[in-house]
Amino acid sequence: MPSSVRVVGLPQCGLFMDQPDYQGLEYFTPLYAHIFDMMGMIRSPSLDPGCLDKYSEEPWHCFMAQYVMPFVQTPYFAVNSFYDSWQFKAMLRLPDSCIWSQDCTMKQVDSERNLKDIMVKNVSQSAGSHSYFLYSCVSHCGYLNHDDGWRRLVVNGQSLRGAISAWYFHERIFQGAQVQEMPDENPTCHPYGIEIVV
């Protein structure tokens, strides 16, 4: 690309965190390691050499957002729920009653909070001059895909639409996460939920 072309990234709902399921079992992350090996990703030119050097003993780390984010130089604006419903189900293996009705055991609640804490810590520590919009709505990919969602969702007094617009058009950094909120506590979460089922 010519140097006159501006390249930015908008990762949405892909901040998968390396953590055990709610029972403390390493369940999903080993699948990433297996996929990394199966696809021959160690030879991929798309992986950052600095990340591969840092994790030379376990190069599959460079296949997960939390490990590769500190090496990303392209400006990005990360959008993710820190109570990501897909991660709740597929990675933490929480039951539907806990995910959608918050009828959870203490162990399950601790797992939800751990996901939030790990995500916020990793995103904020690696952000630097990057932007992020982390929210408490129990959803996966729902707010940026629907006009009603990104107009209504607000974090730290800024709508998702307004934060992305200011970042993209005026290069203003936005780093928002209302970490004190419990699942769906943000009053601007969609009242019926927005969920993309795949």
Side-chain angles (χ1 to χ4, degrees):
M1 296 270 236
S3 60
S4 60
V5 175
R6 180 176 171 223
V7 178
V8 297
L10 189 75
Q12 175 194 197
C13 64
L15 300 177
F16 302 148
M17 297 292 112
D18 181 9
Q19 77 173 87
D21 71 9
Y22 83 90
Q23 298 175 31
L25 303 172
E26 293 294 333
Y27 170 71
F28 200 85
T29 307
L31 296 176
Y32 271 84
H34 177 69
I35 292 168
F36 181 92
D37 291 338
M38 180 187 70
M39 294 174 61
M41 290 300 294
I42 192 69
R43 296 181 301 280
S44 173
S46 65
L47 296 179
D48 185 273
C51 183
L52 290 172
D53 284 346
K54 180 170 183 174
Y55 299 107
S56 59
E57 296 297 314
E58 296 180 293
W60 62 266
H61 279 76
C62 300
F63 204 44
M64 293 191 79
Q66 77 186 73
Y67 299 115
V68 77
M69 285 174 67
F71 299 94
V72 177
Q73 295 179 21
T74 301
Y76 65 78
F77 191 113
V79 178
N80 217 106
S81 169
F82 47 70
Y83 296 125
D84 187 306
S85 60
W86 189 87
Q87 290 185 69
F88 275 5
K89 183 76 170 177
M91 300 175 86
L92 303 185
R93 300 199 293 178
L94 296 171
D96 286 345
S97 59
C98 179
I99 296 169
W100 302 114
S101 302
Q102 288 303 298
D103 181 15
C104 310
T105 66
M106 265 325 290
K107 189 183 277 192
Q108 292 164 347
V109 169
D110 288 345
S111 186
E112 289 179 339
R113 290 179 181 160
N114 192 46
L115 173 63
K116 174 191 69 175
D117 293 345
I118 290 172
M119 186 180 296
V120 171
K121 177 183 175 189
N122 280 282
V123 172
S124 61
Q125 284 182 346
S126 64
S129 62
H130 301 293
S131 291
Y132 58 87
F133 191 102
L134 303 179
Y135 54 94
S136 65
C137 311
V138 178
S139 68
H140 180 71
C141 297
Y143 285 87
L144 199 58
N145 295 351
H146 301 279
D147 192 53
D148 182 52
W150 77 317
R151 273 188 298 125
R152 77 176 281 129
L153 186 61
V154 173
V155 167
N156 295 357
Q158 182 65 266
S159 72
L160 179 56
R161 173 186 274 176
I164 290 174
S165 178
W167 167 75
Y168 185 78
F169 293 110
H170 305 290
E171 299 186 34
R172 292 190 194 130
I173 301 299
F174 180 83
Q175 296 177 336
Q178 291 174 250
V179 297
Q180 74 283 3
E181 292 179 347
M182 297 301 290
D184 282 334
E185 191 174 6
N186 183 327
T188 65
C189 290
H190 198 281
Y192 308 111
I194 297 179
E195 186 64 13
I196 304 302
V197 180
V198 282

